Amino acid sequence: MDTGVRAMRLRLAGAVLLSAAAYYVYLPLPSGVSEPWKLMLLDALFRSFLQASDAAHSLGVCHRVHLLNQVVSWVEVIEARSCAAVHVTDSTLGGVPTRVFQPKEGKQLKRGVLYFHGGGWALGRMRSYDRLCRKMAEDLDAVIMSVDYRLAPEAVFPDQYHDALAASRAFLSSQVLERYGIDPHRVCVSGDSAGGNLAAAVAQEVENTHTHTEAAGGKQCFKAQALIYPVLQALDFYTPSYQQNQAVPILYRPIMARFWLQYLGADSSLEPLLLANNHSSLDQPAISASARSKLDWTALLPPKRRKHFRPVVKETGSPGVMGEVPELMDVRAAPLLAEQGVLGRTPKAYVMTCEFDVLRDDGLMYVRRLQDAGVAVTSDHYEDGFHGCMVFAFLPMMSSVGQRSMNNYIHWLDQNL
């Protein structure tokens, strides 16, 4: 075959493959999202992993989450490695595996942050979390403890919550505070996404337990809670942010419903019912008017966030869902449902939200409810942000909004802890 013809065919094949790749990667995104091509590439990678895991699950090879975590372990998980500025070790808190980041220099008595990673209560800690915690330890001259709580599907609610609570109580114990040289008056609980859920839940429990034991000598409590795009409720999948961002990566609306069902140990066949809000219809006797008011976004969100969207509340739905999954109403799983008195006893808060995130309104409603309960709250909203952006503050997927959000988060901790 003529060399010129062969070269032309190779160029044509390359052009076809490049076009196919571009078609797979390209996704229409809102005009305001930060660095859309980076998000498209990240989403294409994530979709590939999801599709492969779904195929493996359907064929009975393994659970979809197992394959995702295997991929994470291949490319993301790293051993505890110290550097010139930070000593990194693996330990346990209350029997829960925990990675500890300790500055080698600085003040003798340091601040402390207990951190719960995100991942839908199912995916393990990634390399980016180690980088985040290492930077926090160095910039804040603080001891950072990153908790490896148990994961779905082997562990389901309340296992993850119990791990988070056990780690929190151990972190606040005099033995741990003294061992690591942590100032007992400068401690914070924090987390992102599902980790933000766990941080909010244990902040409620620890602070209310502390209130009830003060007369008996008192217990140590958190000075602050810092929640990064937290997931806080599963009764309404039609908040304005769920409607606006249902097709925006990397957390699609159906994926969040799937994560919830895995976390609560429920049948995955219920996903369409959750996505239709059939589980929270008006004929559900388990959901009181008081409970509905705690996530009434028509009252809790400002007009700028409500926009033109309308509530989706079914008159009649699927009455068996709440009986099958009563955990949907458990405040330990859904901290937004807490009573105002409980919220009022929690520490001052930082809540990060992103405009292009299905969970935006979970965080904004929690801000409003905390404020109504008398808690000092810093609401840090990113108009160009997307779910998970803060952990993409490092190479190879470094994003502008990731760097800005991480730096502002660390600055808030520095000023308030």
Side-chain angles (χ1 to χ4, degrees):
M1 183 183 295
D2 181 79
T3 303
V5 173
R6 184 182 294 112
M8 184 176 68
R9 289 182 176 179
L10 286 173
R11 285 196 295 271
L12 179 61
V16 170
L17 289 173
L18 186 61
S19 298
Y23 179 80
Y24 183 77
V25 169
Y26 179 76
L27 183 73
L29 292 175
S31 60
V33 72
S34 177
E35 299 172 289
W37 275 106
K38 287 185 179 180
L39 184 55
M40 288 181 203
L41 288 169
L42 178 66
D43 174 65
L45 186 64
F46 189 53
R47 274 189 288 123
S48 299
F49 292 155
L50 283 176
Q51 289 164 0
S53 66
D54 285 345
H57 188 93
S58 299
L59 293 171
V61 176
C62 64
H63 194 284
R64 57 174 58 90
V65 171
H66 292 162
L67 181 58
L68 284 174
N69 271 320
Q70 186 62 54
V71 171
V72 169
S73 69
W74 285 338
V75 301
E76 283 281 358
V77 174
I78 58 175
E79 299 299 320
R81 296 175 186 169
S82 300
C83 62
V86 181
H87 183 56
V88 184
T89 56
D90 286 331
S91 185
T92 60
L93 276 177
V96 184
T98 302
R99 182 159 291 181
V100 183
F101 300 80
Q102 295 174 269
K104 294 181 178 179
E105 305 293 339
K107 297 179 181 178
Q108 186 172 359
L109 200 59
K110 301 185 182 300
R111 296 176 282 195
V113 178
L114 184 68
Y115 196 90
F116 300 111
H117 66 79
W121 306 281
L123 302 179
R125 175 167 45 82
M126 298 183 293
R127 184 189 306 264
S128 49
Y129 287 111
D130 270 34
R131 291 172 174 170
L132 171 64
C133 291
R134 194 183 300 270
K135 181 173 176 59
M136 290 167 63
E138 187 171 358
D139 290 1
L140 295 170
D141 187 31
V143 177
I144 314 298
M145 299 195 180
S146 178
V147 180
D148 287 325
Y149 51 86
R150 286 172 288 174
L151 301 172
E154 285 74 23
V156 297
F157 178 81
D159 290 348
Q160 289 89 333
Y161 168 80
H162 284 158
D163 282 359
L165 187 59
S168 298
R169 287 174 170 161
F171 177 75
L172 294 171
S173 69
S174 58
Q175 296 93 329
V176 169
L177 296 174
E178 291 171 5
R179 176 184 174 186
Y180 291 99
I182 299 173
D183 186 337
H185 303 296
R186 306 179 75 185
V187 288
C188 173
V189 62
S190 185
D192 67 290
S193 193
N197 168 284
L198 296 174
V202 299
Q204 291 179 9
E205 176 62 25
V206 167
E207 302 310 313
N208 282 276
T209 301
H210 171 262
T211 299
H212 294 150
T213 58
E214 279 183 316
K219 288 186 178 180
Q220 178 61 40
C221 60
F222 291 110
K223 181 182 179 182
Q225 55 181 323
L227 314 178
I228 314 300
Y229 28 79
V231 49
L232 300 169
Q233 60 86 28
L235 293 182
D236 190 357
F237 284 89
Y238 277 94
T239 63
S241 60
Y242 267 115
Q243 294 186 58
Q244 172 183 291
N245 301 310
Q246 58 183 311
V248 177
I250 56 175
L251 185 61
Y252 296 99
R253 188 166 163 268
I255 297 298
M256 192 63 248
R258 179 185 297 180
F259 276 142
W260 266 114
L261 291 171
Q262 286 178 168
Y263 179 43
L264 300 181
D267 196 309
S268 61
S269 66
L270 297 176
E271 183 182 316
L273 302 183
L274 264 64
L275 291 175
N277 270 4
N278 279 359
H279 64 306
S280 55
S281 55
L282 294 176
D283 62 342
Q284 300 283 356
I287 309 177
S288 66
S290 174
R292 292 184 189 278
S293 71
K294 295 177 174 67
L295 44 82
D296 178 9
W297 56 262
T298 64
L300 295 172
L301 293 179
K304 183 178 181 181
R305 304 304 169 195
R306 296 198 303 266
K307 300 180 181 178
H308 61 281
F309 297 105
R310 296 289 181 266
V312 176
V313 182
K314 302 293 183 67
E315 291 288 337
T316 59
S318 305
V321 177
M322 294 307 298
E324 190 174 342
V325 196
E327 296 84 0
L328 288 164
M329 291 295 296
D330 194 316
V331 70
R332 299 172 301 170
L336 185 59
L337 298 178
E339 297 294 335
Q340 184 167 340
V342 172
L343 294 178
R345 289 188 286 269
T346 60
K348 63 181 174 182
Y350 168 93
V351 182
M352 181 190 297
T353 52
C354 295
E355 181 62 22
F356 303 109
D357 179 8
V358 294
L359 301 181
R360 180 199 69 191
D361 295 341
D362 283 27
L364 292 178
M365 286 191 286
Y366 203 57
V367 167
R368 173 65 183 275
R369 293 211 60 222
L370 287 170
Q371 290 171 336
D372 289 348
V375 177
V377 185
T378 297
S379 179
D380 191 14
H381 184 73
Y382 291 86
E383 294 290 352
D384 60 343
F386 54 89
H387 189 79
C389 65
M390 193 182 76
V391 294
F392 299 112
F394 307 96
L395 291 171
M397 294 302 297
M398 182 186 295
S399 72
S400 169
V401 68
Q403 290 181 300
R404 279 185 280 118
S405 59
M406 178 187 66
N407 289 335
N408 289 341
Y409 163 64
I410 293 176
H411 178 72
W412 185 89
L413 290 172
D414 188 40
Q415 296 298 307
N416 290 273
L417 193 58

